[in-house]
């Protein structure tokens, strides 16, 4: 393990969230840190609590207990400062569909206070990566899912955030764009930024991530450095590891009589 | 394997039922809003029944060739009314079919499943039929019971009424499904042509309101001692008789009601129903299925000139622009917000022309300023009903905006300020129009604007906060709200209570003081002004109380 001090971008400490008073906890005691220059994957099956965790970090959802801080700013105490340091893409490609792509990106540039003199240059760079072409001048309501995903990514990057959060980022993208996005993610992290993304696609996670946080039924079951493991053991099979950790967890749960329902009721 | 229509219908009905009871299941059903919605609908029906009864009383007593002819007058009345009802139900049917076929997301979903398009469309039509059947019951019973009691109709009249309740939606939906394609093509033609859309819709609304003013004038005549009778001279009655002779199929409905065993009417009704259904089925097979599939392919038309990223720095202004574009580029929102706001001064003016002389004749005193204040508050409230969707309109994007570094104050202020600008322009035009036409002096015009603005602001604030506390996001792909929520009914009620309380207070005060010989005109200014400030202050407190905390803890919207 490197002994060099790294900048902590995200600090999640004992995060708990439930959707209604009567409901079970959708996520319970999730804790992890993310550092500059790192890509962290949030992995789990459908309904495990990945999106809920991300939405709590983004400030979209309130949470019962625990702490979340972005670049040292607590999301509850200093929400505006915390949010100014991140860009995010939701799992359902949510965007103002009655705006054109360029209007939406301009809105984001204004909201995140991007200096006027760098806007065009950044937009051009993003256009080269995401290849939206002339469609950027059309109403977003006429876009396909993949195009919406692209415009969401472009808008979330216009202010070059320290933290980039992506919820199921590869959904709806064509193979060429998928590769471009993967390459860009690596490049973006290497330039000192931090990326957190959720997925249940093991191949994507294994290919891109430095670290993986596994979540199951709202519980964090492990936080592993996948790159280190791969370096130590060239035959390391991530799929096998993931499936084994799931089985171990369920055996533990039945041994402890833990009959917790899935009840995540994710938004 | 293909599913049959019955199981698709069952699935659709279950889906629609579950969507309706979803707030119940989540335990955040807006009971008060729902009760108010039902009460308002009942009040509208009651108001219609009262006016219709009064009109029917006058119309049935009309004589032709110095003779009373109640059966013929009843026939004419029913023919004209059912003509209007058919037009209303066809228009609403077109809009519903268009929404269900070309707008609903479940069609996309079902299209990808082994579900026959005929069965899918058929099951959609049946669920629309059930909705229209309820409307048909409400309308038919209001008309027929009122008239039936007045003309002492026999049991046959009521049996035929029940049959008409079932048949009417069948005829109107069949006609609607024939007209839905031209309507859809027109919609596509106007799609993304927002300015043309805006002009056409506003002009149509203006014409409609002009016609409404004519009806209001007729009601005034009616209230001023039955002089409306003289409107129905021999020439007018002959025109009505000719019109009723050719007004199919409503004359068959009227014929069957007035003479249950008349073969011609029944034959006509059965034939027209069968013909409409057959034609509709052919149309569905030939055209609608193709149109439904083409809708799934989507469009990709550029609507804007190519421009670079904009240079704005002000977040508030950017949000204001976003809010404007969202409303302006969604036809139903544009209509409810901008078109209604443009027409509002005309509403005030038309009603002022009718009510000014009416009040003077009835009471013998001049109440122009009081009337202007009352009408301004009333129509201002109705214009601001749109604000009851200020939060729900955003749908899931409301959550996304929470993730942006924007304060709750800026988010809400951008919504309130846009509504306030629209209200200000509307109120200003209204005040100028009423003063320019000489109903009130210029300084009262300024007062009218200020008072109207304060009440408008109160409306906007209450509507926005109420919608925030009871947000109901659309689950459709486009996020557009297609049905009015309980919040809308609550805001209508608040608007009505506010305008009648203020209007009633200033009318009563002026009447009492003038009858006692005192001329305390300044009291109208004091009373209306004071109440306006009070309402605006109370609304501001309601709006900001706990807003910041609730914004960060927001988890509503029923999605």
């Amino acid at each position: 393990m490197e002994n060099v001090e790294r900048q902590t971008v995200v600090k999640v400490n004992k995060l708990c969230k439930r959707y209604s008073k009567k409901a079970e906890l959708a996520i319970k005691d999730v804790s992890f840190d993310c550092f500059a220059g790192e890509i962290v994957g949030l992995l789990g099956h459908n309904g495990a609590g990945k999106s809920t965790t991300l939405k709590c970090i983004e400030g979209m959802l309130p949470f019962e207990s625990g702490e979340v801080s972005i670049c040292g700013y607590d999301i509850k105490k200093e929400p505006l400062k915390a949010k100014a340091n991140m860009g995010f893409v939701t799992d359902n490609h949510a965007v103002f569909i009655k705006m054109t792509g360029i209007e939406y990106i301009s809105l984001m540039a204004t909201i995140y206070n991007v200096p006027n003199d760098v806007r065009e240059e950044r937009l051009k760079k993003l256009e080269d990566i995401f290849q939206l072409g002339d469609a950027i001048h059309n109403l977003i309501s006429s876009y396909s899912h993949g195009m919406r995903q692209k415009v969401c990514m472009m808008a979330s990057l216009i202010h070059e955030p320290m933290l980039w959060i992506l919820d199921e980022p590869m959904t709806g993208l064509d193979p060429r764009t998928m590769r471009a996005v993967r390459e860009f993610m690596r490049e973006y992290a290497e330039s000192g930024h931090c990326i957190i993304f959720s997925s249940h696609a093991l191949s994507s996670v294994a290919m891109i991530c430095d670290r993986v946080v596994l979540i199951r039924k709202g519980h964090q079951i492990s936080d592993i450095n996948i790159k280190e493991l791969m370096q130590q053991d060239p035959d390391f099979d991530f799929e096998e590891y993931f499936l084994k950790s799931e089985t171990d967890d369920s055996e533990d749960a039945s041994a402890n009589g833990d009959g917790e329902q899935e009840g995540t009721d994710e938004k | 394997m293909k599913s049959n229509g019955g199981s698709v219908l069952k699935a659709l009905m279950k889906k629609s039922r579950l969507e309706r009871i979803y707030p119940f299941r989540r335990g955040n059903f807006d009971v008060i809003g729902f009760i108010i919605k039902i009460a308002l609908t009942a009040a509208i029906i009651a108001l219609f029944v009262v006016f219709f009864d009064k009109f029917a009383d006058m119309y049935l007593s009309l004589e032709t060739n110095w003779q009373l002819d109640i059966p013929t007058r009843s026939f004419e009345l029913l023919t004209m009314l059912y003509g209007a009802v058919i037009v209303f139900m066809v228009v609403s049917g077109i809009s519903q079919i268009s929404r269900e076929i070309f707008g609903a997301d479940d069609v996309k979903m079902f299209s990808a499943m082994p579900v026959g398009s005929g069965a899918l469309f058929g099951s959609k039509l049946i669920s629309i039929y059930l909705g229209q059947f309820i409307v048909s019951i409400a309308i038919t019973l209001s008309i027929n019971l009122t008239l039936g009691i007045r003309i002492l109709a026999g049991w046959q009249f009521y049996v035929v009424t029940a049959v008409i309740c079932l048949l009417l939606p069948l005829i109107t939906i069949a006609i609607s499904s024939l007209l839905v394609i031209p309507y859809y093509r027109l919609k596509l033609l106007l799609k993304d042509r927002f300015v043309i859309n805006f002009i056409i819709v506003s002009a149509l609304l203006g014409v409609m309101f002009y016609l409404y003013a004519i009806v209001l004038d007729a009601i005034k005549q009616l209230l001023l001692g039955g002089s409306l009778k003289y409107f129905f001279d021999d020439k007018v009655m002959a025109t009505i008789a000719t019109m009723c002779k050719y007004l199919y199929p409503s004359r068959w409905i009227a014929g069957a009601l007035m003479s249950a065993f008349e073969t011609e009417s029944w034959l006509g009704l059965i034939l027209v129903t069968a013909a409409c259904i057959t034609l509709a089925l052919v149309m569905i097979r030939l055209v609608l299925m193709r149109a439904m599939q083409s809708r799934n392919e989507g469009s990709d038309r550029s609507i804007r000139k190519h421009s670079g990223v904009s240079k704005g720095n002000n977040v508030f202004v950017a949000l204001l622009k976003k809010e404007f574009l969202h409303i302006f580029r969604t036809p139903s929102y544009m209509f409810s917000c901008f078109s209604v706001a443009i027409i509002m001064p005309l509403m005030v003016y038309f009603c002022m022309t009718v009510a000014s002389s009416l009040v003077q004749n009835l009471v013998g005193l001049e109440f122009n300023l009081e009337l202007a204040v009352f009408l301004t508050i009333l129509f201002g409230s109705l214009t601001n009903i749109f604000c009851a969707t200020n939060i729900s309109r955003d749908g899931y994007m409301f959550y996304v905006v929470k993730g942006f570094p924007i304060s709750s104050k800026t988010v809400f202020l951008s919504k309130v300020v846009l509504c306030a600008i629209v209200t200000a322009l509307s109120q200003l035009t209204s005040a100028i129009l009423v003063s320019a036409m000489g109903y009130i002096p210029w300084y009262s015009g300024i007062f009218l604007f200020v008072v109207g603005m304060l009440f408008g602001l109160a409306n906007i604030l209450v509507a926005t906060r109420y919608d925030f506390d009871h947000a109901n996001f659309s689950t459709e792909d486009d996020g557009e709200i297609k049905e009015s929520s309980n919040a809308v009914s609550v805001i209508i009620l608040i608007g009505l209570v506010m305008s009648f309380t203020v209007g009633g207070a200033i009318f009563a005060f002026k009447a009492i003081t003038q009858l006692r010989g005192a001329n305390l005109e300044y009291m109208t200014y004091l009373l209306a002004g004071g109440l306006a400030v009070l309402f605006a202050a109370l609304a501001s407190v309601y709006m900001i109380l706990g807003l910041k905390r609730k914004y960060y803890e927001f988890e509503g919207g029923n999605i």
Side-chain angles (χ1 to χ4, degrees), chain B residues 181 321 397 403:
Chain B
I181 287 290
K321 184 184 167 190
M397 279 309 286

Side-chain angles (χ1 to χ4, degrees), chain A residues 17 83 98 103 116 119, chain B residues 310-312 329 402 555:
Chain A
K17 160 79 191 161
K83 289 169 187 173
K98 295 292 174 178
E103 283 169 349
N116 283 330
R119 287 185 186 187
Chain B
S310 72
K311 306 283 185 204
R329 289 176 180 172
K402 273 182 75 188
E555 284 188 274

Side-chain angles (χ1 to χ4, degrees), chain B residues 17 39 57 63 92 102 131 142 150-151 219 225 230 270 285 293 305 329 414 431 540:
Chain B
R17 197 179 67 241
D57 182 32
E63 293 174 1
S92 102
F102 303 113
S142 312
R150 191 155 278 286
I151 62 172
I219 292 172
Y230 302 107
I270 291 164
R285 276 255 165 266
Q293 278 151 8
K305 63 176 188 292
R329 289 176 180 172
S414 66
S540 306

